[in-house]
Amino acid sequence: MKYKILSNTPLREGLELFDMRVCAPDFNALPGQIAHFLCGEGTTLRRPLSVCDCYSQSGMQIARFCYEVRGKGTKWISERIAGEEVDILGPLGHGFETVDGAKAVLVGGGIGIYPLMSLSRIYGKNAVALLGFRDAAHINLTEDFEAYGTEARVITDDGSSGRQGFVTVLLDEALKSGGYDIIYVCGPKPMMAAVSKIAEKYGVRCQVSMEEHMACGVGACLGCVCQTMLADGNHGYKRVCVDGPVFESSEIIWEAAK
């Protein structure tokens, strides 16, 4: 389906981070779902992007995609301008499960913060966003979480934000205070594995958004499988594009998630 671009602008000056919004009247994405973008000549495979948010404004349905330029495909996407059309397949995959009346912790690392935005819209003040970045220059979207009523707590690897450490430090502090029912996490796999262990320690349900290289996006090619614990207790494989990208953290065999 082709959608008209409303805007496609840098999130921070000097960084390869972009914020695209398209007019998508029939694009009703759930939190955590993904979309596959056709990326012009010279790129055979579509590029998967997480849906950052999907909302209505002035009677218009808008899909928002925040992304980082990482190669030829995303470079092509970053060069599109308002008024052009993009060919998007989606929404695809299995998203986050929201729980009525729950208090949620949103844990994001780097560009992993983007799939959490629509959860902030849903949970509002009943969620806290714990966001980890490389340094202060890479901090972005904190105001967007707070605009939905979600407190945003930030930490950076180098301490340039005023607090040094990994986002797991913030999670441990939050869970010690109690009162949270579910954790949602997206980011580097080592970070998500650490979050999963902390969630298990405190007995809090945790859902993770896995990232793998994708080709078809519809489950046919088996190029994006991750190793999981099956219902019978044995190890098996599930497709990130259709069985995920969101899984219960207890399903993932983290030792195999390199």
Side-chain angles (χ1 to χ4, degrees):
M1 182 72 71
K2 291 185 177 180
Y3 298 105
K4 183 178 179 180
I5 299 172
L6 301 173
S7 62
N8 189 27
T9 57
L11 277 167
R12 291 289 301 265
E13 197 66 35
L15 300 179
E16 291 284 84
L17 302 174
F18 287 82
D19 181 352
M20 175 185 282
R21 306 186 195 213
V22 302
C23 178
D26 56 350
F27 192 92
N28 297 308
L30 298 174
Q33 286 190 295
I34 58 176
H36 273 222
F37 280 67
L38 193 62
C39 297
E41 294 183 8
T43 52
T44 303
L45 300 177
R46 291 175 179 262
R47 299 299 191 269
L49 295 182
S50 297
V51 180
C52 179
D53 206 356
C54 195
Y55 59 96
S56 180
Q57 185 176 58
S58 301
M60 180 186 300
Q61 182 76 0
I62 297 172
R64 183 183 186 186
F65 303 91
C66 294
Y67 61 96
E68 180 179 31
V69 174
R70 288 188 165 181
K72 187 175 182 179
T74 45
K75 178 65 174 175
W76 183 91
I77 295 172
S78 73
E79 294 170 345
R80 301 308 97 203
I81 62 173
E84 292 184 350
E85 290 186 331
V86 281
D87 190 311
I88 302 175
L89 177 65
L92 303 172
H94 175 77
F96 292 111
E97 180 184 335
T98 56
V99 182
D100 290 343
K103 289 195 67 177
V105 185
L106 317 180
V107 185
I111 61 173
I113 70 172
Y114 302 145
L116 305 176
M117 183 59 63
S118 54
L119 290 169
S120 176
R121 173 174 48 80
I122 292 170
Y123 281 105
K125 65 181 181 180
N126 287 325
V128 59
L130 311 180
L131 311 175
F133 299 95
R134 185 186 315 165
D135 51 43
H138 284 79
I139 296 173
N140 64 94
L141 290 199
T142 54
E143 300 90 348
D144 297 65
F145 283 97
E146 291 172 346
Y148 281 138
T150 301
E151 179 189 356
R153 303 175 189 172
V154 171
I155 196 167
T156 52
D157 296 348
D158 68 352
S160 55
S161 65
R163 185 84 187 272
Q164 183 176 15
F166 298 126
V167 73
T168 47
V169 172
L170 300 182
L171 177 62
D172 196 67
E173 291 174 353
L175 296 185
K176 279 180 180 177
S177 68
Y180 291 104
D181 304 295
I182 189 166
I183 302 166
Y184 302 98
V185 57
C186 185
K189 288 177 185 176
M191 183 206 82
M192 293 198 294
V195 168
S196 179
K197 288 183 179 179
I198 294 172
E200 184 179 7
K201 170 185 172 182
Y202 286 96
V204 180
R205 182 184 177 191
C206 179
Q207 291 195 326
V208 299
S209 178
M210 300 296 290
E211 179 181 306
E212 296 289 346
H213 292 294
M214 295 183 188
C216 71
V218 293
C221 71
L222 305 180
C224 64
V225 296
C226 66
Q227 195 169 0
T228 62
M229 183 72 72
L230 302 179
D232 61 5
N234 291 317
H235 292 190
Y237 292 90
K238 290 188 177 180
R239 300 160 296 177
V240 171
C241 66
V242 291
D243 299 315
V246 175
F247 298 90
E248 297 292 330
S249 64
S250 57
E251 287 185 76
I252 304 298
I253 307 300
W254 291 107
E255 295 80 3
K258 303 296 184 181

